[in-house]
Each structure stands twice: as structure tokens, then as C-alpha cells.
Amino acid sequence: MILLIVSLPAAAEGLPVSALKITGSNGKSHEFKVEVAASAPTRATGLMNRKSLAAGEGMIFIFPQPKDVMMWMKDTLIPLDMLFIDTSGKVINIAENTKPMDETIIPSRGLSAYVLELAGGEARRLHLAAGDKLSGAALAFKAKD
């Protein structure tokens, strides 16, 4: 198996941008360009203070090892959909339209190796669901901590 890592132009925040695909149980797939947050500081900042996030774009958080992830929306100005993903790339839980500026903890509800954040409403619009499968160059990045 040959794995090709394709990095797209860096995002405004200086993070690498890479390709990601989500394939549903019906075989339909959706492609995204995602910023890669692979270090503790970039995961802590995430999409805070962003005023918008276009359809087809997002941010993937890469953790050093699978864990019960706890996210929140502090200093996040826009609603987000959060997809919690296991080591195989399978979506285990989706938190839809999370509330901006809210400090309520959003749990993964299972061991997550990745979290994908998309614009609020994207999961519903694209009919994304637990069990969908992620693939693409973005998953080849490793955590830097």
C-alpha cells in the first residue's frame, strides 16, 4: 500500500491543510479541505475566534493516542459540528450545531483518535452519521506531542 500525503497551501493560521473524505454507509462520499491541528497548542486553539468556516472546509484534531475527548466552544464565534472518530477512521459520535461561546463540555462518547470540526449544520446537510468512514491524506499526520 502506498500512502501519499498531499499538503495544500497553509491556512491563515499557519496550519497545514490536507484532503479528507467522508464516505457514508450508502457509499456516497464528501470531500473536504481541512486544517490539521496535531500539537497541543493548535488543538487548544482550534477554530477559536474565527468568524466563518466555508462549506467543504474544516479542522481535524489529531491526538497522540485514543482517549475520551472533551471539547468546548469557549471563544468560538461560530456554531460547529464535531465528529468524533476512532483509530480506524470510523465516526463514533457527532455533536451537531454546538453553541458558540459555550463552556459546556462536549464528550466524544468513546475513545477518539481524531475530532473533525465542520461548519454548524454540515453534518445534517450532508447526512453524515455515526458509522461513516474517513479517509485521505489528513489521517496520515501524526500528533506532535
Side-chain angles (χ1 to χ4, degrees), residues 48 58 79 86-87 90 98 101 107 109 114 116 140 142:
M48 288 180 176
D86 71 12
T87 56
K90 184 176 81 172
T98 57
M101 306 298 287
R109 302 192 192 288
Y114 312 95
L116 175 63
K142 302 294 180 206

Side-chain angles (χ1 to χ4, degrees), residues 28-110:
K28 185 168 182 164
S29 63
H30 306 280
E31 295 191 13
F32 297 88
K33 286 192 278 187
V34 296
E35 295 175 63
V36 179
S39 67
T42 59
R43 289 190 304 269
T45 302
L47 291 169
M48 288 180 176
N49 302 309
R50 304 280 181 99
K51 294 181 180 168
S52 65
L53 184 63
E57 295 181 356
M59 179 177 282
I60 190 160
F61 297 72
I62 299 178
F63 296 95
Q65 56 193 342
K67 65 180 191 170
D68 286 314
V69 176
M70 306 286 189
M71 303 290 281
W72 66 353
M73 293 291 290
K74 181 180 180 186
D75 297 324
T76 306
L77 307 175
I78 55 175
L80 298 172
D81 290 345
M82 295 180 187
L83 286 72
F84 298 92
I85 303 144
D86 71 12
T87 56
S88 72
K90 184 176 81 172
V91 176
I92 58 173
N93 182 37
I94 300 176
E96 294 186 30
N97 272 312
T98 57
K99 184 178 175 186
M101 306 298 287
D102 191 0
E103 294 186 26
T104 302
I105 297 299
I106 303 161
S108 59
R109 302 192 192 288

Side-chain angles (χ1 to χ4, degrees), residues 14-32:
L15 296 177
V17 176
S18 192
L20 186 69
K21 180 166 67 170
I22 302 175
T23 304
S25 59
N26 62 359
K28 185 168 182 164
S29 63
H30 306 280
E31 295 191 13
F32 297 88

